[in-house]
Amino acid sequence: QMQLQESGPGLVKTSETLSLTCTVSGGSISSYYWSWIRQPAGKGLEWIGRIYSSGSTNYNPSLKSRVTMSVDTSKNQFSLKLSSVTAADTAVYYCARYGDYAVEYWGQGTLVTVSS
Amino acid sequence: DIQMTQSPSSLSASVGDRVTITCRASQSIGSYLNWYQQKPGKAPKLLIYAASSLQGGVPSRFSGSESGTDFTLTISSLQPEDFATYYCQQSYSTPLTFGGGTKVEIK
């Protein structure tokens, strides 16, 4: 059974860089798209972007200037960096695997709070 | 970006009711529409993909349909475990976008 687990600091200072890693178990990271999706408290879902196992990326234009995603196939991990964070970036961040049509597997989510 | 407009934003229903949630895309997206269920404190769960295909393990009371740029999620007989928030999502083009959500509450 595939499992995804987010890890990283739960508190990030304003203007600094948010860094999260997703560890994939129960399957290979190869040959799939891997996404980051976030959800502010009480609000809807926002797609941040995706990375293919080869390293090619697509980012949400609304965040593109601040987002970097990377993949480490040897560790079965992929990562998110979001720079110059503000309070508006406070959210639960999910890592997820995109199948042929939709997001099939999700991590449990990790709350990241941005505060000065 | 493709805008996904969901309606209603919330509804109250009783166990056994038939519930319908609608999602409208701002442009043609073919059948590239997915539905997710999210319970408080949990990650979303895929219910329907490609507009009308039931994800494995999802009860058959859930169904999806499409008409042009309008998509519908139907729960034929609402069960206690179905009280949750439902989201549509288009996978036609990036950025992938979600509807605003529909919260299904107990009447």
Side-chain angles (χ1 to χ4, degrees):
Chain A
Q1 174 72 358
M2 173 152 293
Q3 293 186 320
L4 290 76
Q5 179 68 57
E6 305 90 352
S7 59
L11 181 63
V12 181
K13 291 186 183 299
T14 303
S15 79
E16 296 190 345
T17 296
L18 177 160
S19 296
L20 296 174
T21 296
C22 183
T23 300
V24 179
S25 58
S28 173
I29 203 168
S30 298
S31 304
Y32 285 101
Y33 276 107
W34 303 89
S35 287
W36 290 96
I37 295 163
R38 70 181 183 178
Q39 184 173 37
K43 296 189 177 180
L45 299 159
E46 180 181 31
W47 181 77
I48 300 170
R50 68 184 183 186
I51 185 165
Y52 194 67
S53 51
S54 63
S56 65
T57 55
N58 299 104
Y59 299 144
N60 192 322
S62 67
L63 299 168
K64 187 174 183 177
S65 63
R66 300 193 291 130
V67 172
T68 303
M69 294 183 184
S70 60
V71 62
D72 187 336
T73 55
S74 67
K75 294 182 178 180
N76 243 28
Q77 294 178 333
F78 62 105
S79 298
L80 167 71
K81 292 187 185 299
L82 181 66
S83 64
S84 304
V85 296
T86 69
D89 295 310
T90 294
V92 173
Y93 285 75
Y94 294 100
C95 62
R97 191 191 90 172
Y98 208 89
D100 291 335
Y101 301 97
V103 177
E104 297 174 331
Y105 296 98
W106 298 73
Q108 64 184 24
T110 187
L111 174 63
V112 179
T113 301
V114 178
S115 175
S116 56
Chain B
D1 299 5
I2 298 174
Q3 306 302 316
M4 306 302 296
T5 303
Q6 245 181 279
S7 61
S9 57
S10 65
L11 64 90
S12 295
S14 301
V15 172
D17 283 353
R18 181 181 182 89
V19 169
T20 298
I21 299 168
T22 298
C23 186
R24 174 169 290 174
S26 61
Q27 66 182 73
S28 175
I29 59 170
S31 298
Y32 291 89
L33 190 285
N34 309 307
W35 290 97
Y36 301 87
Q37 175 194 66
Q38 186 179 34
K39 295 182 178 179
K42 299 294 187 181
K45 170 189 172 184
L46 178 63
L47 298 177
I48 302 282
Y49 63 92
S52 60
S53 296
L54 196 66
Q55 176 71 351
V58 174
S60 59
R61 63 181 179 272
F62 291 94
S63 63
S65 62
E66 62 179 294
S67 176
T69 58
D70 291 341
F71 298 84
T72 300
L73 173 70
T74 299
I75 309 172
S76 60
S77 178
L78 198 65
Q79 297 302 299
E81 60 268 31
D82 301 337
F83 291 95
T85 300
Y86 294 84
Y87 293 94
C88 62
Q89 176 242 328
Q90 65 82 17
S91 55
Y92 179 78
S93 66
T94 58
L96 307 182
T97 47
F98 292 85
T102 296
K103 186 173 185 179
V104 177
E105 299 176 300
I106 302 172
K107 181 182 281 186

